[in-house]
């Protein structure tokens, strides 16, 4: 079991690390060689490897540099400090969660309307799909400016971007789920002469739960993306997106990568949290473990 | 009429009545006519009339009334929206909804593809979306620097075609298409190679799934640093963004064929390539199209966002960020419309192709 | 000998212990025989067929197909296999499903077409060649799958409950057809069924199996004449053999 699942994953991760180190040396070497030439220093291969991994603003930082930077900006800094990654993560996380909750609610409501009313189905469904072809992430900055202008500022504008992104997978998945009961079971319920409402509560809703959770995993990941991009351009001062932007302004590649890696960790934690919630719910609904 | 239909009809009649009472002296003749029509139509609720004149419950009647009222409202927009006009606008919308409800009810038992229902109804909904956008922005006097009305955006689309085309070419035809093709293509090849080894598949699938959930778009500044300001760096972002969804989906798809189908090919002693082309790839098509569709929107987003981090002075993302700074929101929305149209067109084309190729899949089967 | 199994054993390792699917199976099937495997559900009939077809590797004993290990027989395309379910590819029409093995073996398209037509006619699916599997009833799908197995004309046919999903009339008809085909071509057929009358009607040899662990409890050689009209099923001789099969089955159940 462990060997079957973990070993391949670890192998690939190790391979990625090796390739990463390789690229670190390769990409940072030109500048380093230039340096050697200027100062006319003798150099050996080991020097080169060591020095390419110790740049302040490398083209590509080595993994351990990024990890050290994360360590420095999480554990070593006070949580309230403006340079603490935990502080920035919290800003991003709170708007992610707010957006996710609103998106899930919107998506579920839409799905219920769509399943229960054919006119809604035909009118809304194509537009729900079309809504995602608007590159919302790309216009997030503008939306935030506009929302600021009408007096909405702080958490909510960013959360609205996340909502816009996350309602979509929820709505689509939930529609699928609400329609998933076996037609035979629906016929069975008909023979009991049950009302639409009863059919919904006893059959449709429970069958949609697994679909809902699958969609929620996608939705929460994309909510995080929305929050980060929402922080990018507004001259926002806090959040992982702001770290990315200021890192790119000042060429602080290590800072960019550490923000990226923190975002990745955050995404993983969020998906795992949804997964646990899914397992608990399904256990309570009597699924075998 | 069903309960919901009666409710819609009654609500519309009430709105019309309110408009008549409130604006009898101030409203233009067209608006008065519209309000009158709505109120008269409300009388259909009396069973006697409905029985005597079956024609009055036709959906076409509601459609005509809603369109007349909507046109009257649009014509009156410039004079300012008073309470009465809002009443007519809402009545118009309710009648539109009523028309759709009735069309649906008529169509409920019909089988097969119905153009009116599948194309007309969504377009009709889109019309109302634009209608209320227009009515709200102009009627409430929302400053155009916040949200320009659709008419203004439409005018922009017509007058600034040259700029829009240049931006479209830079962002879509160069960055998006190149990145999309390279990203999806290489992921497809990698997935096929990885699928040959159980060990690699077990490693790549969870990692690919994980990376797909990450905010990959964050690599945009790095790519701009590495590949320069022109479209190549945007294409690189698109490659990275589209690669993982495609790889993960293709990998899952390649193992989608059932055990029995694999056994069948085994009994023919079919070779690797034969199994790949005759069984695995056809069975993987629904998964592959899923990724292609997801990626079509991701690619657009990736290219536009990457332009925020540096670009030559052309491109959708560039235009959006500069025109926002100049408060030219109509231009910004025109760019958004171009992007959305390109996105919807790609998505639609992929969906059609998917329908053609995976016609056998349970979600498309026709009896 | 077409098939020779010697002390054949197969255990499945599962999460909750080992399943003895086959235990010490000894069986010989000669060329041109029609052998039925009959036994209660889960006694290992499918597993045995899959071992012959090299889809499963035995954990003990030996098995030879045409005097070769099963793998070589498979690579030599020595047999046609009809699965318990139709297993038709849903993106291919019925005709293209039937031609699938022919494509893989690299036959010319003219020959493919000719054979496909013949097979479609044989199983009575004329006019359905252009339809897709999901547009056919379950029984029709199974007939298409039989046609596919017959299409490439192997000397050995392995059939896993091919007629299980068919109605009585069609089943009788196909039984007759299968018998004629067998007589005409002299193929060796290994046939799994749940139906005693079907087993007795078709076979020259009936192998009775019992479950947990899967083993052979009785091998009955039928001395019914080669020429078998359907009403042979009312003759005393037929009933006598059927009785013996039934007793064999009951015995297997007794030690549960
Ligand atoms: N892949 C497998 N893994 C574990 N156990 C298996 C596997 N395949 C079959 N078995 C077990 O082996 C035994 C024999 O299965 P088999 O499919 O051969 O039965 P069968 O006689 O064909 O039954 P039926 O008449 O229902 O088709 C059963 O107990 C089954 O649970
Ligand atoms: Mg079986």
């Amino acid at each position: 079991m462990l060997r079957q699942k973990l070993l391949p994953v670890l192998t690939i991760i190790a391979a990625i690390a090796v390739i990463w180190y390789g690229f670190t040396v390769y990409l940072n070497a030109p500048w380093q060689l230039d340096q050697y030439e200027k100062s006319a220093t003798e150099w050996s291969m080991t020097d080169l490897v060591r020095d390419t991994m110790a740049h302040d603003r490398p083209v590509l930082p080595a993994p351990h540099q990024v990890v050290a930077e994360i360590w420095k900006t999480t554990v070593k800094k006070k949580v309230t400090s403006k340079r603490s990654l935990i502080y920035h993560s919290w800003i991003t996380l709170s708007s992610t969660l707010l957006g996710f909750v609103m998106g899930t609610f919107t998506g579920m409501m839409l799905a219920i309307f769509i399943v229960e009313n054919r006119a809604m189905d035909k009118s809304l469904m194509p537009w729900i799909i079309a809504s995602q072809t608007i590159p919302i992430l790309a216009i997030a900055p503008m939306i935030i400016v506009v929302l600021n202008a009408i007096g909405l500022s702080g958490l909510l504008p960013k959360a609205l971007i996340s909502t816009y992104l996350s309602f979509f997978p929820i709505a689509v998945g939930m529609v699928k789920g609400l329609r998933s009961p076996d037609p035979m079971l629906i016929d069975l319920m008909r023979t009991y002469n049950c009302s639409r409402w009863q059919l919904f509560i006893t059959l449709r809703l429970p069958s949609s739960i697994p679909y809902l959770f699958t969609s929620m995993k996608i939705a929460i990941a994309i909510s995080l993306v929305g929050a980060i991009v929402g922080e990018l351009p507004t001259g926002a001062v806090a959040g992982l997106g702001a770290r990315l932007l200021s890192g790119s302004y000042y060429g602080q590649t290590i800072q960019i990568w550490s923000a990226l890696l923190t975002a990745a960790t955050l995404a993983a934690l969020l998906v795992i949290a949804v997964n646990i919630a899914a397992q608990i719910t399904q256990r309570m609904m009597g699924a075998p473990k | 009429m069903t309960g919901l239909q009666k409710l819609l009809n009654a609500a519309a009649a009430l709105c019309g009545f309110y408009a008549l009472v409130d604006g009898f002296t101030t409203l233009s003749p067209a608006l008065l006519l519209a309000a009158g029509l709505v109120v008269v139509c409300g009388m259909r609720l009396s069973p006697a009339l409905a029985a005597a004149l079956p024609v009055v419950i036709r959906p076409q009647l509601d459609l005509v009334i809603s369109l007349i009222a909507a046109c009257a409202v649009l014509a009156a927009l410039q004079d300012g929206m008073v309470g009465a006009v809002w009443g007519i606008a809402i009545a118009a919308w309710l009648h539109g909804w009523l028309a759709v409800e009735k069309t649906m009810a008529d169509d409920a038992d019909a089988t097969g593809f119905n153009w009116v229902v599948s194309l007309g109804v969504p377009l009709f909904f889109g019309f109302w979306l634009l209608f209320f956008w227009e009515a709200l922005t102009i009627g409430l006097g929302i400053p155009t620097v916040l949200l320009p009305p659709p008419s203004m955006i439409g005018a922009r689309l017509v007058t600034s075609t040259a700029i829009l085309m240049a931006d479209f070419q830079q962002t879509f035809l160069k960055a998006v298409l190149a990145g999309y093709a390279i990203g999806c293509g290489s992921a497809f090849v990698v997935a096929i190679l990885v699928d040959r080894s159980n060990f690699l598949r077990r490693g790549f699938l969870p990692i690919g799934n994980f990376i797909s959930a990450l905010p990959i778009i964050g690599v945009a500044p790095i790519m701009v640093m590495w590949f320069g300001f022109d479209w190549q760096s945007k294409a690189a972002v698109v490659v990275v963004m589209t690669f993982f969804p495609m790889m993960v989906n293709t990998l899952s798809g390649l193992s989608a064929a059932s055990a029995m189908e694999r056994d069948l090919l085994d009994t023919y002693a079919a070779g690797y390539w034969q199994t790949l082309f005759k069984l695995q790839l056809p069975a993987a098509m629904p998964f592959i199209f899923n990724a292609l569709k997801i990626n079509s929107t991701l690619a657009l987003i990736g290219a536009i966002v990457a332009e925020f981090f540096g670009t030559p002075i052309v491109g959708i993302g560039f235009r959006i960020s500069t025109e926002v700074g100049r408060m030219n929101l109509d231009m910004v929305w025109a760019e958004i419309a171009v992007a959305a149209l390109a996105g919807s067109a790609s998505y639609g084309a992929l969906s059609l192709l998917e329908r053609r190729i995976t016609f056998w899949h349970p979600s498309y089967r026709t009896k | 000998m077409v098939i020779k199994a010697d002390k054949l054993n197969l255990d499945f390792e599962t999460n909750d212990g080992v399943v003895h699917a086959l235990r010490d199976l000894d069986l010989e099937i000669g060329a041109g025989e029609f052998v039925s495997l009959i036994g209660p559900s889960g006694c290992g009939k499918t597993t045995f067929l899959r071992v012959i077809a090299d889809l499963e590797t035995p954990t003990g004993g030996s098995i030879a197909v045409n005097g070769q290990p099963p793998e070589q027989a498979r690579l030599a395309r020595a047999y046609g296999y009809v699965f318990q379910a139709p297993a038709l590819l849903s993106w291919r029409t019925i005709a293209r499903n039937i031609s699938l093995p022919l494509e893989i073996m690299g036959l010319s398209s003219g020959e493919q077409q000719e054979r496909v037509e013949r097979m479609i006619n044989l199983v009575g699916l004329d006019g359905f060649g252009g339809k897709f599997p999901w547009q056919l009833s379950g029984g029709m799908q199974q007939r298409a799958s039989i046609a596919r197995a017959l299409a490439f004309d192997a000397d050995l046919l392995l059939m896993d409950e091919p007629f299980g999903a068919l109605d009585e009339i069609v089943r009788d008809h196909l039984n007759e057809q299968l018998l004629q085909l067998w007589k005409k071509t002299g193929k060796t057929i290994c046939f799994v069924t749940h139906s005693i009358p079907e087993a007795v009607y078709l076979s020259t040899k009936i192998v009775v199996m019992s479950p947990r662990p899967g083993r052979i409890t009785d091998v009955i050689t039928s001395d019914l004449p080669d020429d078998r009209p359907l009403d042979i099923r009312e003759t005393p001789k037929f009933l006598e053999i059927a009785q013996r099969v039934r007793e064999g089955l009951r015995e297997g159940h007794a030690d549960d």
Side-chain angles (χ1 to χ4, degrees), chain B residues 320-359:
Chain B
I320 289 177
S321 56
T322 50
E323 297 296 322
V324 166
R326 293 191 200 148
M327 295 292 177
N328 281 339
L329 270 273
D330 54 341
M331 189 63 197
V332 173
W333 278 97
E335 293 282 355
I336 294 172
V338 169
L341 271 178
S344 302
S346 331
Y347 195 97
L350 283 170
S351 305
L352 282 182
L353 197 64
E354 178 182 30
R355 225 169 234 280
R356 296 279 312 251
I357 291 185
T358 64
F359 63 92

Side-chain angles (χ1 to χ4, degrees), chain C residues 159-230:
Chain C
M159 308 178 86
D160 194 353
E161 290 183 47
F163 306 143
L166 303 182
D167 69 86
E168 197 81 1
I169 311 282
V170 175
R171 191 176 179 140
D172 279 352
H173 174 69
L174 284 176
N175 273 342
E176 263 187 311
Q177 296 246 295
L178 181 63
L179 213 50
Q180 263 164 31
L181 182 101
W182 168 68
K183 260 191 304 195
K184 203 164 70 196
T185 57
K187 286 185 197 297
T188 314
I189 298 183
C190 214
F191 187 93
V192 171
T193 176
H194 274 147
S195 152
I196 298 177
E198 188 174 67
V200 179
Y201 174 69
L202 291 173
S203 323
T204 57
K205 196 192 260 177
I206 301 156
V207 177
V208 185
M209 297 179 66
S210 85
R212 278 170 299 268
R215 61 192 188 281
I216 294 177
T217 49
D218 200 0
V219 177
I220 300 155
T221 312
S222 158
D223 44 5
L224 288 178
D226 268 3
D227 205 25
R228 301 176 187 181
L230 277 171

Side-chain angles (χ1 to χ4, degrees), chain B residues 64-125:
Chain B
V64 169
I65 291 176
S66 77
L67 288 180
I68 290 179
C71 291
V73 170
L74 284 178
L77 270 181
Q78 304 301 339
D79 312 336
M81 292 281 280
V82 286
V85 185
W86 284 117
I88 299 170
I90 292 173
W93 167 61
L94 288 171
H95 267 285
W97 186 355
L98 192 56
V100 174
E101 277 292 336
K102 286 181 180 169
T103 316
M104 286 295 163
D106 291 350
D107 180 65
D109 316 315
T111 49
F113 193 75
N114 184 337
W115 279 102
V116 174
V117 168
S118 300
L119 215 68
V121 171
L123 283 179
F124 194 54
F125 185 82

Side-chain angles (χ1 to χ4, degrees), chain C residues 10 12-14 19-22 39-48 50 56 84 160-161 192-194 209 212:
Chain C
L10 196 145
F12 284 113
E13 304 272 354
T14 59
V19 179
H20 302 288
L22 299 175
S41 184
C43 70
K45 306 179 294 290
T46 300
T47 308
F48 182 48
R50 288 172 60 85
E56 215 77 72
Q84 207 161 347
D160 194 353
E161 290 183 47
V192 171
T193 176
H194 274 147
M209 297 179 66
R212 278 170 299 268

Side-chain angles (χ1 to χ4, degrees), chain A residues 71-104:
Chain A
W71 179 259
K72 205 175 78 192
T73 47
T74 52
V75 183
K76 294 264 183 77
K77 282 270 179 333
K78 271 218 296 286
V79 187
T80 47
S81 155
K82 285 269 176 345
R83 317 196 90 179
S84 161
L85 263 182
I86 296 186
Y87 166 77
H88 290 288
S89 302
W90 168 247
I91 303 272
T92 305
L93 181 67
S94 49
S95 68
T96 302
L97 289 180
L98 181 60
F100 170 69
V101 169
M102 295 193 298
T104 306

Side-chain angles (χ1 to χ4, degrees), chain A residues 35-282:
Chain A
Q35 258 351 65
Y36 287 144
E37 205 154 309
K38 272 187 201 148
S39 57
T41 26
E42 295 277 314
W43 59 277
S44 68
M45 202 60 210
T46 32
D47 289 337
L48 182 68
V49 169
R50 190 194 57 229
D51 291 341
T52 47
M53 292 184 191
H55 289 181
D56 261 354
R57 296 174 180 187
V59 181
L60 177 68
H64 67 257
Q65 282 177 296
V66 179
V67 172
E69 166 81 9
I70 293 181
W71 179 259
K72 205 175 78 192
T73 47
T74 52
V75 183
K76 294 264 183 77
K77 282 270 179 333
K78 271 218 296 286
V79 187
T80 47
S81 155
K82 285 269 176 345
R83 317 196 90 179
S84 161
L85 263 182
I86 296 186
Y87 166 77
H88 290 288
S89 302
W90 168 247
I91 303 272
T92 305
L93 181 67
S94 49
S95 68
T96 302
L97 289 180
L98 181 60
F100 170 69
V101 169
M102 295 193 298
T104 306
F105 182 75
T106 318
M108 286 174 72
M109 284 299 130
L110 280 174
I112 292 172
F113 285 136
I114 284 172
V115 170
E116 291 295 320
N117 183 310
R118 239 169 71 82
M120 290 272 192
D121 178 14
K122 292 290 173 188
S123 308
L124 281 180
M125 209 54 191
W127 288 100
I128 288 182
I129 293 171
S131 77
Q132 300 301 306
T133 62
I134 292 182
I136 185 77
L137 281 176
I139 53 172
M142 185 194 84
I143 292 176
I144 286 171
V145 171
V146 168
L147 290 177
N148 274 333
I150 58 169
L152 281 177
S153 60
L155 205 57
L156 200 60
K158 287 190 284 169
L160 283 177
I161 307 280
S162 297
T163 307
Y164 189 91
L165 287 170
S166 59
F167 91 91
F168 175 71
I170 300 276
V172 171
M174 190 81 181
V175 165
K176 222 182 213 172
L178 289 173
R179 287 191 177 142
S180 67
D182 191 338
M184 203 149 46
L185 282 177
I186 295 180
D187 284 345
L188 178 74
M189 298 297 283
R190 288 242 170 80
T191 66
Y192 301 154
N193 191 23
C194 75
S195 68
R196 257 180 112 121
W197 173 245
Q198 287 169 320
L199 180 73
F200 182 79
I201 288 294
T202 50
L203 193 58
R204 288 197 190 277
L205 201 57
S207 339
S208 72
I209 297 297
Y211 291 82
L212 177 63
F213 276 111
T214 311
S215 309
M216 275 164 71
K217 273 184 249 173
I218 302 171
I220 201 154
I222 203 163
S223 287
L224 180 64
V225 179
I228 291 178
V229 175
E231 287 161 352
L232 275 184
T234 38
V237 281
L240 293 175
R243 294 290 284 177
L244 276 183
L245 195 73
S246 70
S248 100
Y249 275 163
Y250 304 114
Q252 298 283 3
T253 37
I254 303 188
Q255 184 185 328
I256 299 182
W257 281 97
S258 68
L260 275 181
L261 220 62
T262 311
T265 319
L266 208 55
L269 291 179
L270 288 172
V271 173
I272 290 174
V274 174
N275 232 345
I276 292 175
Q279 272 167 10
I280 292 175
T281 317
Q282 287 177 331

Side-chain angles (χ1 to χ4, degrees), chain C residues 56-101:
Chain C
E56 215 77 72
T57 322
T59 46
S62 72
I63 174 124
V65 180
N66 290 335
Q68 301 168 310
E71 190 185 356
Q72 275 180 26
R74 179 171 69 87
L75 293 179
R77 284 143 183 170
Y79 59 84
Y81 197 116
V82 181
F83 288 87
Q84 207 161 347
L88 298 167
L89 304 185
S90 33
W91 52 87
R92 283 170 166 256
T93 59
I94 294 300
R96 299 243 304 133
N97 258 291
I98 296 175
S99 70
L100 175 69

